[in-house]
């Protein structure tokens, strides 16, 4: 990507974060975004199809780092499952706090279907990725493995989003430890069977 394209992407990033912190991204018009980013519509459409697409790109880049750390910690096996989830939950809280204004504007009161879908998709894909790398984690049960993987991933993904939504509904400043405790205490047994014996 050349310097001009990087500069345009940076402007779009700053503009969409600012506007989506004031109102749900669905209410951000392309005209508002191009005016705030100081670019024209033609340039905008070379980079994205909508303000929501710009926001998704920004947030997914950050969430992908959270996922990568969680999966690496899980598969390395150096930490207990509890410690892995605590680290991952702290990393997720870091993300939520980094973008607090836009998550508050978009999710408190369930106003943004885009943010809802984005977070659920991230959580579901994280579980899918983990199970693809370690299929032995998937509990036994009825139905084909592909279906059980999808069902378990969606169950965990929607549940984790519910904890995020409940935590965001609290008045600021929010208690990080409360979020981490809730996530780790609500995990299904197959994801948190308890710490391995210390050697």
């Amino acid at each position: 990507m050349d310097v001009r394209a990087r500069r345009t992407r940076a402007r779009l990033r700053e503009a969409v974060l600012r506007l989506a912190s004031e109102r749900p991204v669905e209410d951000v018009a392309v005209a508002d975004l191009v005016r705030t980013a100081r670019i024209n519509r033609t340039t905008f459409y070379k980079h994205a199809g909508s303000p929501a697409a710009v926001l998704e790109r920004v947030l997914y880049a950050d969430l992908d780092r959270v996922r990568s750390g969680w999966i690496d910690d899980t598969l390395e096996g150096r930490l207990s499952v509890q410690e892995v989830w605590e680290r991952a939950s702290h990393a997720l809280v870091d993300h939520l706090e980094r973008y607090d204004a836009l998550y508050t504007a978009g999710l408190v009161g369930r106003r943004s279907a885009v943010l809802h879908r984005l977070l659920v998709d991230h959580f579901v894909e994280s579980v899918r990725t983990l199970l693809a790398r370690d299929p032995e984690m998937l509990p036994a049960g009825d139905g084909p493995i592909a279906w059980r993987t999808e069902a378990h991933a969606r169950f965990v993904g929607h549940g984790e989003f519910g904890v995020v939504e409940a935590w965001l509904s609290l008045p600021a400043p929010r208690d990080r430890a409360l979020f981490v405790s809730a996530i780790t205490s609500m995990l299904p047994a197959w994801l948190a069977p308890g710490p391995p014996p210390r050697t």
Side-chain angles (χ1 to χ4, degrees):
M1 191 183 303
D2 66 24
V3 174
R4 185 180 304 167
R6 281 200 301 272
R7 188 181 309 124
T8 299
R9 287 224 171 173
R11 285 182 175 177
L12 284 170
R13 178 186 189 282
E14 291 168 14
V16 79
L17 290 176
R18 185 170 125 202
L19 294 171
S21 295
E22 298 168 357
R23 57 192 182 272
V25 71
E26 290 91 338
D27 296 342
V28 175
V30 171
D32 297 331
L33 188 54
V34 297
R35 183 172 49 253
T36 303
R38 300 181 317 279
I39 62 172
N40 61 48
R41 278 181 179 267
T42 303
T43 301
F44 171 79
Y45 285 114
K46 288 179 183 175
H47 291 272
S50 68
V54 177
L55 183 62
E56 288 172 354
R57 186 170 56 228
V58 171
L59 296 180
Y60 275 133
D62 200 54
L63 286 166
D64 284 347
R65 288 189 287 275
V66 174
R67 174 190 298 134
S68 179
W70 171 61
I71 289 175
D72 289 348
D73 283 348
T74 300
L75 297 180
E76 281 176 9
R78 291 182 300 105
L79 303 172
S80 71
V81 174
Q82 180 83 10
E83 290 167 326
V84 168
W85 274 92
E86 285 177 0
R87 282 171 55 125
S89 297
H90 278 291
L92 179 57
V93 172
D94 289 343
H95 169 82
L96 294 172
E97 288 181 339
R98 218 173 355 267
Y99 301 105
D100 179 76
L102 77 88
Y103 280 122
T104 299
L107 290 179
V108 174
R110 300 179 183 183
R111 300 182 331 158
S112 176
V114 168
L115 285 180
H116 180 185
R117 179 185 47 77
L118 183 146
L119 284 175
V120 169
D121 286 353
H122 165 74
F123 298 141
V124 170
E125 185 58 30
S126 296
V127 177
R128 281 188 197 126
T129 302
L130 180 64
L131 291 175
R133 293 191 187 179
D134 187 359
E136 297 296 315
M137 289 186 75
L138 182 66
D142 295 335
I145 289 175
W147 182 87
R148 286 189 290 120
T149 297
E150 190 64 14
H152 282 78
R154 287 176 182 263
F155 182 83
V156 173
H158 283 274
E160 194 164 2
F161 174 80
V163 177
V164 168
E165 191 175 38
W167 186 73
L168 288 172
S169 72
L170 297 172
R174 300 178 189 95
D175 183 352
R176 291 174 59 98
L178 178 64
F179 180 86
V180 173
S181 172
I183 289 288
T184 55
S185 68
M186 294 179 192
L187 292 174
W190 62 273
L191 271 179
R198 299 252 182 207
T199 55

